[in-house]
Amino acid sequence: MTTAPQPLSGVTVIDFTQVFMGPSCTQMLGDYGADVIKVERPGTGDISRTSIPDPAGLDNPIFLSINRNKRSIAIDTRTEEGRQVIHELVRSADVVVSNFRTGVMERLGLGYEALRAINPKIIWASGTGFGTEGPYAHKGGQDAIAQAYSGVMWRRVSDDDPVTLYPTTLCDYTTGMHLFQGILLALLHRDRTGEGQKVEVSMYDSMLHMQMQEACQQLNRGSEINWAAMPLTGVFPTTDGALIMVGGFKSNALHHISRALELDEDLSERPEFATLDLQFAHRPELQRIFAEAVARNTTDYWVKRLEDEDILCAPVRSLEQTLDDEQTAVNKMIVEMDHPVAGRIRALNAPLHLSATPAEVRRVPPRLGEHGAEVLGELGYTAEQIDLLREKGVLQ
């Protein structure tokens, strides 16, 4: 256990984020020491509090997964009194984060120019679906929509495969981590110059940037590259599951695959498979041969055979199996917390492993409005003023 202060200790973040993209960013800030004050709607809070039916209600696993190390204040920002509270928070804050549609923060009177007038050093960070300008700027950001617009959804192993949705929220998470990076860069700049700034990321840009290799090939050669459609790569059923084999990064990988799969011949010696171009041209036949061989034995058997030939491979696992894997435990990727409503909860830890200043769980995910009086008291509000805000419905 380290006694060193965490990297973001002393940094105050006003968090207007909801669902996944924004909260994943602000949880990372909190995991490394920031005081994250989560601003929520009275009554319902962050949308993720009600995204699935759960015995814990507003404190369901979806919300709990991305909102630890935060304090919650439930306040109506549409009221003048509510906005005044936010302004008071901003005066001493370092970062304001939101992931509303373009223009929402401005309509609330909480845009960058308005908050910079209160605190010139503020870092105002925003994640949107498509950016603040252009033909799609008005659209809401959502993972499946970003997959579709960015080209990610269109690409698949074969043109015969149906276009389908990737089931993990890839776009939300990637954009949230880009937002996290942008905030860290802005904090570094402010430490050097004393200047705050605006930080903007979009799901559209993040998904495009993820395809930097494919895009550069398309822009400069007019052709598409599809790493999942390489001729010696594929997912193949076994007698008890499935495995993925990646026949790359090795001279004459087909020779070693032929040995590992106990084929009757060295496929690399057949003229129709002699070059990479020919392997592409005959990919269906290669894939059929691989599939027929792999189907004869277990996943573990073939993984060992392939690894003995130094061919990259892995069993295809469920999330349940991965969470129960020894490697997950060794990497300390699961944390446990005692929550007053949800009870003992387990969630994923931060994936950044810092030797001197590791991530810490200082606060369990907050109940809706749990820290309202505490936060307002720190701003100098009296108990009577807090009670009055509650009577008016401004504060929960």
Side-chain angles (χ1 to χ4, degrees):
M1 185 70 177
T2 180
T3 58
Q6 288 187 292
L8 298 177
S9 178
V11 173
T12 299
V13 178
I14 311 304
D15 177 11
F16 289 92
T17 69
Q18 55 184 339
V19 190
F20 185 26
M21 179 238 285
S24 67
C25 164
T26 53
Q27 177 167 275
M28 286 285 279
L29 294 170
D31 281 352
Y32 292 96
D35 178 18
V36 180
I37 301 172
K38 185 175 181 70
V39 180
E40 301 190 71
R41 299 180 187 88
T44 57
D46 184 332
I47 293 173
S48 67
R49 287 189 183 273
T50 55
S51 60
I52 61 167
D54 187 79
L58 299 182
D59 300 291
N60 64 74
I62 303 303
F63 176 82
L64 297 175
S65 69
I66 46 177
N67 284 288
R68 65 173 172 262
N69 289 328
K70 303 178 184 183
R71 297 192 286 168
S72 172
I73 176 171
I75 193 160
D76 189 348
T77 56
R78 297 168 301 176
T79 66
E80 183 59 37
E81 295 99 326
R83 284 192 294 273
Q84 183 59 41
V85 169
I86 301 303
H87 291 169
E88 291 300 321
L89 283 169
V90 168
R91 290 186 200 282
S92 57
D94 300 284
V95 185
V96 171
V97 193
S98 68
N99 64 321
F100 298 124
R101 289 192 189 208
T102 295
V104 169
M105 288 289 279
E106 285 77 7
R107 289 195 293 274
L108 289 171
L110 303 174
Y112 176 55
E113 296 302 330
L115 298 189
R116 185 172 69 163
I118 297 170
N119 180 353
K121 294 185 176 182
I122 199 70
I123 293 165
W124 189 92
S126 170
T128 60
F130 297 91
T132 58
E133 298 178 349
Y136 307 142
H138 66 286
K139 291 179 176 288
Q142 196 274 338
D143 199 274
I145 304 304
Q147 288 184 39
Y149 263 106
S150 66
V152 168
M153 187 182 291
W154 180 255
R155 294 202 342 273
R156 58 261 196 224
V157 175
S158 167
D159 290 341
D160 296 330
D161 295 336
V163 177
T164 188
L165 173 68
Y166 184 70
T168 297
T169 49
L170 181 71
C171 310
D172 270 320
Y173 180 76
T174 303
T175 311
M177 293 306 98
H178 285 163
L179 188 58
F180 174 65
Q181 292 167 12
I183 291 168
L184 295 183
L185 291 172
L187 285 168
L188 182 61
H189 173 78
R190 195 187 64 179
D191 283 347
R192 292 173 173 172
T193 68
E195 299 174 349
Q197 62 178 299
K198 182 190 295 186
V199 176
E200 295 178 323
V201 302
S202 73
M203 300 175 80
Y204 188 81
D205 292 353
S206 287
M207 286 301 96
L208 271 179
H209 195 254
M210 180 177 284
Q211 302 169 89
M212 62 180 77
Q213 293 177 316
E214 295 89 341
C216 196
Q217 179 75 14
Q218 185 71 50
L219 290 168
N220 294 282
R221 297 293 180 265
S223 61
E224 184 171 333
I225 189 164
N226 186 336
W227 300 113
M230 300 300 283
L232 306 186
T233 294
V235 178
F236 307 103
T238 66
T239 58
D240 61 352
L243 64 80
I244 184 167
M245 178 179 72
V246 180
F249 311 105
K250 191 174 184 64
S251 176
N252 197 3
L254 186 55
H255 165 73
H256 294 278
I257 290 172
S258 299
R259 289 185 13 163
L261 298 185
E262 302 171 342
L263 301 180
D264 294 334
E265 60 179 322
D266 182 351
L267 296 180
S268 68
E269 295 181 354
R270 286 173 55 169
E272 66 267 38
F273 304 140
T275 67
L276 181 60
D277 286 342
L278 288 169
Q279 290 170 9
F280 268 111
H282 295 89
R283 183 179 186 276
E285 183 179 356
L286 276 171
Q287 295 282 302
R288 177 186 59 78
I289 294 171
F290 298 156
E292 289 176 353
V294 172
R296 294 196 297 263
N297 217 316
T298 66
T299 301
D300 286 347
Y301 179 83
W302 291 122
V303 166
K304 184 178 187 311
R305 292 279 308 173
L306 288 163
E307 288 184 341
D308 285 346
E309 292 290 331
D310 198 26
I311 296 296
L312 294 172
C313 63
V316 178
R317 291 182 170 173
S318 68
L319 176 59
E320 182 180 13
Q321 290 172 314
T322 302
L323 292 172
D324 196 42
D325 193 288
E326 181 184 358
Q327 191 66 56
T328 303
V330 169
N331 290 0
K332 298 180 174 61
M333 281 304 297
I334 295 179
V335 294
E336 297 189 7
M337 300 167 277
D338 289 313
H339 190 275
V341 175
R344 189 69 169 171
I345 58 173
R346 302 166 72 205
L348 290 183
N349 202 357
L352 308 178
H353 303 288
L354 280 65
S355 62
T357 55
E360 293 179 357
V361 178
R362 304 182 316 282
R363 295 179 180 272
V364 300
R367 289 166 290 162
L368 179 59
E370 177 181 352
H371 303 96
E374 176 181 298
V375 170
L376 290 182
E378 292 170 359
L379 295 176
Y381 282 72
T382 65
E384 291 76 15
Q385 289 173 315
I386 294 170
D387 288 342
L388 182 58
L389 289 174
R390 282 177 171 153
E391 290 172 11
K392 291 182 175 181
V394 175
L395 178 74
Q396 180 172 328

